[in-house]
């Protein structure tokens, strides 16, 4: 069952993201990476409204990702995507002008803060806005590349395409400034500014949890032998390092399997090893 609180925050986040996109980024002809960047290219070239392209691009991605993403993550992502689409359609009929007098530095800063805050709220609530996030999860399923690496590669591809189409290096550089701010704000809101999290779980259902984490979140798991001080009972603790975007999914998965599990979540300042700096063959990722 989807939680009303999560849905509420996903919709609020979608509103902030859409507001920054519609009233700051588009009027000042800045760009974006990922699927949103494709939407903007089509809008600037052919005048196709972003809300319409957002839903048209994401429909086939959701169909493809139906069997790959967990149902809960897929539903929350669908809410995020439809939320952005609805807000953009609403803002199309509400004329608002933000008088920054074409100061692209201020536009990049304010737009980055608003869009980053919106995405951070969405990610913290367990959702996504679809697009490149779904592509990254699919790519990670069948390749040795991480989700973050695939998203970065797709963003670079879209921004390179933007330069080739519009020959507008100046505005793309302002966009890079804005995207950097978006990334920092997302990190600050969603997980306190750290990219990975170490999760330690004490539960009598440790093996069931380990199996579920392996199948649904696709992160490595280590079982650590432990003993309760008072009970003197031996158990296996579960330890896993995950990406920040997977934290909400991890917590909900643990709660579904064992609501009484004892969980410790720590900030992982630097993570080295398979899935992060090494591929499945124990070889360093190509840079």
């Amino acid at each position: 069952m989807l939680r009303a609180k999560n849905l509420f925050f996903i919709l609020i986040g979608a509103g902030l993201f859409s507001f920054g996109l519609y009233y700051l980024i588009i009027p000042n002809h800045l760009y974006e990476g990922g699927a949103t960047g494709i939407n903007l290219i089509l809008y600037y070239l052919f005048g196709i409204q972003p809300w319409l392209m957002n839903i048209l691009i994401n429909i086939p991605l959701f169909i493809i990702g139906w069997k790959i993403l967990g149902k809960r993550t897929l539903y929350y992502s669908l809410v995020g995507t439809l939320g952005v689409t609805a807000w953009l359609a609403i803002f199309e009929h509400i004329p608002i002008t933000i008088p920054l007098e074409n100061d692209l530095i201020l536009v990049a800063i304010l737009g980055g803060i608003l869009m980053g805050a919106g995405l951070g709220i969405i990610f913290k609530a367990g959702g996504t806005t679809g697009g490149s996030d779904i592509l990254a999860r699919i790519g990670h399923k069948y390749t040795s590349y991480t989700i973050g690496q695939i998203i970065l590669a797709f963003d670079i591809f879209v921004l390179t395409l933007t330069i080739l189409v519009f020959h507008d290096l100046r505005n793309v550089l302002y966009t890079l400034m804005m995207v950097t701010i978006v990334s920092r704000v997302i990190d600050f809101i969603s997980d306190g500014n750290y990219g990975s999290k170490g999760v330690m779980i004490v539960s009598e259902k440790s093996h069931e949890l380990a199996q579920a984490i392996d199948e649904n979140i696709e992160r490595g798991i280590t079982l650590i032998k432990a003993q309760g001080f008072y009970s003197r009972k031996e158990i296996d603790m579960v330890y896993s390092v995950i990406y920040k975007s997977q934290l909400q999914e991890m917590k909900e998965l643990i709660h579904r399997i064992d609501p009484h599990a004892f969980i410790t979540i720590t900030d992982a300042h630097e993570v080295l090893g398979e899935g992060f700096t090494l591929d499945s063959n124990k070889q360093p990722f190509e840079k």
Side-chain angles (χ1 to χ4, degrees), residues 226-235:
Q227 184 182 64
F229 178 73
Y230 292 104
S231 67
R232 300 298 176 182
K233 183 178 181 180
E234 292 188 352
I235 60 171

Side-chain angles (χ1 to χ4, degrees), residues 25-236:
I25 305 308
I26 292 177
N28 291 280
H29 213 280
L30 292 186
Y31 307 102
E32 247 284 24
T36 303
I38 298 293
N39 291 346
L40 292 182
I41 290 175
L42 295 174
Y43 173 71
Y44 293 144
L45 286 176
F46 307 111
I48 303 174
Q49 288 298 327
W51 67 265
L52 177 59
M53 284 310 306
N54 189 61
I55 196 67
L56 291 178
I57 286 177
N58 277 289
I59 285 175
L61 292 179
F62 278 110
I63 294 174
I64 294 171
W66 178 259
K67 293 184 178 180
I68 298 174
L69 300 177
K71 287 186 178 181
R72 183 177 294 267
T73 300
L74 185 67
Y75 290 151
Y76 281 154
S77 298
L78 186 60
V79 171
T81 300
L82 294 178
V84 169
T85 300
W87 280 113
L88 288 173
I90 291 170
F91 291 148
E92 183 182 349
H93 301 286
I94 304 176
I96 297 176
T97 301
I98 300 178
L100 293 179
E101 299 178 352
N102 296 319
D103 189 329
L104 293 184
I105 292 180
L106 290 179
V107 170
I109 292 173
L110 183 57
I113 291 173
L114 286 174
M115 294 174 68
L119 290 174
I121 292 171
I122 291 173
F123 294 159
K124 192 173 181 66
T128 73
T129 55
S132 55
D133 183 75
I134 295 178
L135 286 175
R137 289 172 184 266
I138 294 172
H140 175 66
K141 178 80 172 180
Y142 297 106
T143 70
S144 61
Y145 295 102
T146 66
I147 291 175
Q149 288 174 323
I150 297 172
I151 289 177
L152 177 61
F154 192 52
D155 285 347
I156 291 173
F157 168 76
V158 172
L159 289 176
T160 301
L161 180 63
T162 300
I163 294 175
L164 295 175
V165 171
F166 296 105
H167 305 285
D168 189 3
L169 179 61
R170 177 175 178 269
N171 278 22
V172 169
L173 291 176
Y174 280 115
T175 298
L176 287 174
M177 176 182 173
M178 182 267 295
V179 168
T180 301
I181 295 172
V182 168
S183 176
R184 300 301 295 173
V185 174
I186 289 174
D187 288 344
F188 180 79
I189 290 178
S190 63
D191 67 353
N193 209 32
Y194 295 103
S196 299
K197 296 288 185 179
V199 182
M200 185 171 287
I201 312 159
V202 179
S203 168
E204 294 183 354
K205 299 181 179 180
S206 56
H207 289 269
E208 186 178 348
L209 283 168
Q211 185 70 28
I213 292 169
D214 179 57
E215 293 177 354
N216 294 281
I217 302 182
E218 298 182 345
R219 301 312 308 169
I221 306 106
T222 299
L223 296 177
I224 304 172
K225 293 294 182 182
Q227 184 182 64
F229 178 73
Y230 292 104
S231 67
R232 300 298 176 182
K233 183 178 181 180
E234 292 188 352
I235 60 171
D236 288 326

